Amino acid sequence: MRGYDMKRTKYPLLPYSQLVWDMMQTDKEVYTFRSRVRVEKAVGRAARIEEALRAALRNHAVFSMRVDEQGMQYYDEQGDLLHGQFYAVEIEEAVDYIELDITSNRILGDGISGMVIMEDFLRAYRGLPLEKDCYLEYLEQTEQNKQTERYTASKQWLEVKFDRLTAPVHPTTDYPLTNVQGWKEALLNDDWSDLQESVYNTGREYMVTLTGIVALAAALAMMDYNGTDEAALTWAYDGRETDIEQHICGSLHRDIPLSVSRKSTDKSRKQLLQQVRAEMRQGIAHSAYPYTLVKPHTEVWNYAVNVLQQSAPTEMLQQMPFAVEDFEDLSCHTAYALLDIEIYAGETLEIVYRYSATHYRQESIQRYAALVRKNAEWLLKD
C-alpha cells in the first residue's frame, strides 16, 4: 500500500503481552525480572560489550516499541538503547571486573526471545552481521489473519471443544484459589535422566514430542490425584513456524489447551500416546486464536497446569569469548502461575515444578510429581 508505514501504525499487543499489560494495571512490577552478569575486566572490553548490546537491541523492533495508555503498541525508536519502557541495562566497571545489571519485563518476549538476543550479542561482539528481525511485519500479518475465515473457524472450534469443559485443569489445591494476594513461588526438581533414552525412543516410535509425553503423564497424574477419568492443561508452543519467525523477539509463543480422557474404555499406552499426538496437532492447527488468554476463558485457564520446554542459557554463555563469572537471578520469587511444569533437556533431563506455595504444600507437589513420573514410566514401557 503506497504511503503505508508500519513504524507509524499502532497494533494490539500480542496475546501473552496483553495478559502481562492487564496485570500491570494493578501491579507495575509484575513479571519484572532482574539478573546480573559479571565478567573479567580487560582493556576495551566494557566498550565492546556496550557496543554489542546496543547493536543487538537496535536489531529488534520490540525494544523500540512503546505501549500507550490504551494498551496499543507503536514503534518509537529509542534514543537510549540501554533504557526502554520495559527494560534497562546498567554497565558498571569495577577494579577487576565488569558487571551488567539487567532488568526486563516478560511483556517484551518469550524464552526464545532471550536466546535470540544472546545470539545477536555474541555475533555483534565478534563483528558478524545480524539477521533481520521482522517483528513489525509479524504484527501486521497477525492483524490481517484475524480477518480470515480460518481465524473465525479456529475460534469456533476451540469454543465448541472447551467451553463446556468439566475436567480439572490442575491438581486440587490445599488452600483456596481465593487466596490471591502475595503468591509465593516454590520449586521442586525431578531428575528424569534415567528415563531420557526411553522418552526419546517412545517419542520417535509414536511421533510424540518430549513436551507431549510430559504433558500426557501430567494429565494422567492429575486424574489419579483428583480421582477423575479426564483432565486438561495447557502446553507452550513456540509459535515460530517459519525461518523468518525464528529470529523475532516478542511474545510469539502460544499456550495451547489439551484435554486427555481415559473414559469408556481401558486406554492402552498406544491409544493414549496417539490421543495426545492428535490433540496436540489439532491444537496447533487452531492456535492462531488465543483461546486460553481471552476473557472469560482466563477464569479457568489462568489456573491450568502449563507444560513448557525451557531454553537454558548455559550453552550460549559457554560460547562467549570471555568467562562469565556470575549469572544470578535476583527476582523476587513471586509465583505467576499456579503450577508450571518446565522441561530442561540437554545432557540430562530435568523436570522442574514451579508452583504457588500459597496454594500447595510441598508434600502435595511431591506426591503429584511422583504420580507424573509413575505415569511416565508406564507410558515408556516396551
Side-chain angles (χ1 to χ4, degrees):
M1 184 184 300
R2 180 172 296 179
Y4 180 73
D5 185 356
M6 285 186 289
K7 291 186 176 181
R8 297 183 179 179
T9 302
K10 290 188 176 184
Y11 293 98
L13 291 165
L14 293 174
Y16 203 91
S17 294
Q18 182 66 56
L19 176 69
V20 176
W21 174 258
D22 291 343
M23 295 172 70
M24 280 182 172
Q25 304 317 297
T26 55
D27 181 0
K28 291 184 179 180
E29 298 301 315
V30 69
Y31 276 109
T32 297
F33 304 98
R34 182 184 175 199
S35 60
R36 292 180 187 271
V37 177
R38 183 176 295 182
V39 300
E40 184 181 358
K41 191 171 183 180
V43 176
R45 180 170 287 171
R48 284 187 66 187
I49 287 175
E50 181 172 344
E51 182 181 355
L53 274 172
R54 291 182 182 277
L57 295 170
R58 186 182 300 112
N59 193 46
H60 297 282
V62 73
F63 295 102
S64 290
M65 303 298 288
R66 292 192 63 82
V67 180
D68 65 18
E69 293 182 355
Q70 287 71 46
M72 298 291 288
Q73 60 178 320
Y74 61 96
Y75 186 89
D76 183 21
E77 189 167 355
Q78 289 290 119
D80 180 0
L81 282 164
L82 297 187
H83 300 85
Q85 186 177 3
F86 302 108
Y87 73 93
V89 182
E90 306 294 344
I91 303 174
E92 177 186 345
E93 289 190 67
V95 175
D96 55 357
Y97 64 83
I98 304 162
E99 187 167 273
L100 280 69
D101 189 341
I102 305 167
T103 303
S104 62
N105 189 278
R106 176 63 178 78
I107 198 172
L108 291 168
D110 49 27
I112 291 179
S113 297
M115 301 302 288
V116 170
I117 280 293
M118 290 178 68
E119 180 182 2
D120 273 9
F121 168 79
L122 182 58
R123 291 185 64 83
Y125 190 89
R126 291 173 171 168
L128 300 173
L130 306 184
E131 185 178 346
K132 181 183 177 182
D133 180 327
C134 296
Y135 180 71
L136 292 170
E137 291 85 347
Y138 180 85
L139 294 179
E140 177 62 25
Q141 187 62 56
T142 296
E143 292 310 298
Q144 292 180 13
N145 288 343
K146 291 179 182 179
Q147 310 307 315
T148 64
E149 292 182 4
R150 180 182 178 184
Y151 185 86
T152 301
S154 291
K155 176 178 183 292
Q156 293 171 346
W157 185 89
L158 287 160
E159 288 173 345
V160 168
K161 184 172 179 64
F162 292 106
D163 272 7
R164 297 184 179 180
L165 182 74
T166 58
V169 297
H170 57 257
T172 303
T173 58
D174 297 312
Y175 308 106
L177 289 176
T178 51
N179 293 351
V180 296
Q181 298 296 324
W183 287 30
K184 299 299 181 183
E185 180 182 87
L187 301 177
L188 176 68
N189 290 25
D190 193 3
D191 188 349
W192 280 26
S193 298
D194 59 314
L195 303 178
Q196 194 165 17
E197 184 176 355
S198 296
V199 168
Y200 293 141
N201 289 340
T202 299
R204 284 191 292 268
E205 180 179 356
Y206 293 97
M207 293 182 286
V208 179
T209 64
L210 172 57
T211 298
I213 291 174
V214 175
L216 176 55
L220 294 172
M222 202 187 308
M223 297 179 209
D224 295 338
Y225 193 98
N226 291 0
T228 63
D229 51 15
E230 56 185 349
L233 45 72
T234 63
W235 63 280
Y237 174 53
D238 64 26
R240 289 167 167 80
E241 299 173 330
T242 67
D243 288 341
I244 290 174
E245 290 170 358
Q246 300 299 317
H247 198 69
I248 295 177
C249 278
S251 282
L252 275 63
H253 102 281
R254 303 167 185 177
D255 284 340
I256 299 181
L258 168 70
S259 61
V260 178
S261 173
R262 54 187 179 195
K263 295 171 67 173
S264 302
T265 61
D266 183 16
K267 297 288 186 181
S268 67
R269 295 171 54 252
K270 180 178 179 180
Q271 288 174 316
L272 286 164
L273 287 162
Q274 289 174 336
Q275 180 184 163
V276 80
R277 177 173 180 264
E279 287 281 332
M280 293 181 76
R281 291 183 67 180
Q282 291 174 344
I284 291 171
H286 297 95
S287 65
Y289 181 73
Y291 178 84
T292 63
L293 299 176
V294 175
K295 296 177 181 179
H297 312 309
T298 50
E299 295 177 8
V300 172
W301 296 99
N302 277 355
Y303 300 102
V305 170
N306 185 45
V307 179
L308 62 161
Q309 186 165 351
Q310 293 281 43
S311 299
T314 307
E315 293 183 8
M316 189 68 71
L317 290 173
Q318 290 174 346
Q319 297 178 34
M320 294 293 173
F322 43 74
V324 176
E325 181 181 333
D326 189 19
F327 191 80
E328 183 182 3
D329 181 10
L330 298 178
S331 60
C332 62
H333 302 294
T334 296
Y336 294 116
L338 190 63
L339 175 56
D340 282 347
I341 303 177
E342 300 178 342
I343 306 166
Y344 293 87
E347 294 182 0
T348 62
L349 179 58
E350 301 285 336
I351 308 297
V352 177
Y353 296 83
R354 189 179 298 272
Y355 65 96
S356 169
T358 306
H359 300 92
Y360 288 109
R361 295 192 296 265
Q362 182 182 34
E363 53 266 34
S364 297
I365 295 300
Q366 289 172 335
R367 177 185 163 216
Y368 177 67
L371 288 170
V372 176
R373 183 182 177 92
K374 179 181 177 181
N375 278 281
E377 290 173 344
W378 175 73
L379 289 168
L380 302 175
K381 284 183 180 178
D382 295 330

